[in-house]
Amino acid sequence: MADEIDREKQRVRELVRERRAATTEVERAGIRDGVTAQLITLVTGRGARSVSCYMPVAGEPDTSAFLAWAREQGIDVLLPAAREDGLLDWIRPSWEGNVRGAFGIPEPLGECLSPLAVSDVDLMLVPACAVDRSGVRLGWGRGFFDRNLGSMDQSPPVFAIVHDEEVFETLPSELHDVPVTGFVTPSRIEYVHAER
């Protein structure tokens, strides 16, 4: 059964990688603008004054314009820094540049905080390969965010950011897959799971 779940997860990951690789520059700009508008709506609607987010890589929905807006609004932002041991530290960016972190993922310069620092934000905005309508989030297989979320007694509301076509009716899941509160796409915000 576990092998079958792994195969199905890999199938979805390959499909998403192919779709993202085929996205044009014009389409990417439209996705960025849509995601930015939806994230601003979500953050302002919830009155969030602190958020965790991510710096986009490899075709992920682009959060850079949202991060610039958050900085201008004085919102406290934490960004992840992957560790070799599979955990995430969190960085409060200085907005003075980036460095290449573990696995080649860009990380901001700034104050490095512990994995549990994210427990105190008002809202978590996380990357995903895909999400389904029940709140199952499929990552890319390294488990960083699942470990982080699974280690918290009480987490803030968690929203996965995906492209519109990456919302599935159902996705394969296992016990370690932590459900999200909802998802954000370029065209909508949807709550799918009760807040923890």
Side-chain angles (χ1 to χ4, degrees):
M1 183 65 171
D3 285 346
E4 187 177 322
I5 290 172
D6 283 343
R7 279 194 298 275
E8 180 59 14
K9 285 183 173 183
Q10 280 308 112
R11 186 192 69 76
V12 172
R13 288 180 182 123
E14 287 167 16
L15 174 66
V16 169
R17 275 192 195 97
E18 287 172 13
R19 284 180 180 166
R20 288 185 179 184
T23 306
T24 67
E25 285 297 323
V26 171
E27 289 169 331
R28 277 195 279 277
I31 291 165
R32 180 199 61 230
D33 293 347
V35 164
T36 301
Q38 296 299 335
L39 290 175
I40 290 171
T41 297
L42 178 64
V43 169
T44 56
R46 295 186 64 97
R49 297 304 305 157
S50 60
V51 299
S52 72
C53 195
Y54 64 90
M55 296 173 62
V57 294
E60 289 177 331
D62 190 342
T63 57
S64 58
F66 165 74
L67 291 171
W69 173 86
R71 179 184 180 195
E72 289 169 6
Q73 299 301 309
I75 292 171
D76 187 24
V77 175
L78 297 182
L79 297 170
R83 296 182 355 183
E84 296 290 342
D85 65 3
L87 297 177
L88 290 175
D89 283 331
W90 292 91
I91 297 174
R92 180 171 285 119
S94 63
W95 308 109
E96 295 173 353
N98 304 319
V99 295
R100 201 166 189 75
F103 311 105
I105 298 170
E107 296 171 359
L109 296 171
E111 178 187 4
C112 188
L113 306 170
S114 81
L116 294 180
V118 76
S119 301
D120 296 326
V121 300
D122 296 328
L123 191 60
M124 289 185 72
L125 306 169
V126 300
C129 167
V131 67
D132 77 12
R133 296 192 178 279
S134 70
V136 171
R137 173 192 168 272
L138 178 64
W140 294 102
R142 288 200 170 122
F144 288 105
F145 284 94
D146 283 323
R147 272 190 293 281
N148 201 167
L149 294 169
S151 70
M152 296 193 280
D153 292 331
Q154 186 73 28
S155 79
V158 180
F159 284 78
I161 304 172
V162 293
H163 297 98
D164 285 300
E165 65 276 8
E166 294 163 3
V167 178
F168 290 72
E169 283 303 317
T170 60
L171 285 170
S173 67
E174 298 168 273
L175 287 176
H176 64 264
D177 293 321
V178 179
V180 294
T181 309
F183 60 83
V184 177
T185 77
S187 67
R188 68 194 190 276
I189 299 162
E190 195 164 317
Y191 286 74
V192 293
H193 199 269
E195 294 183 28
R196 296 187 284 158

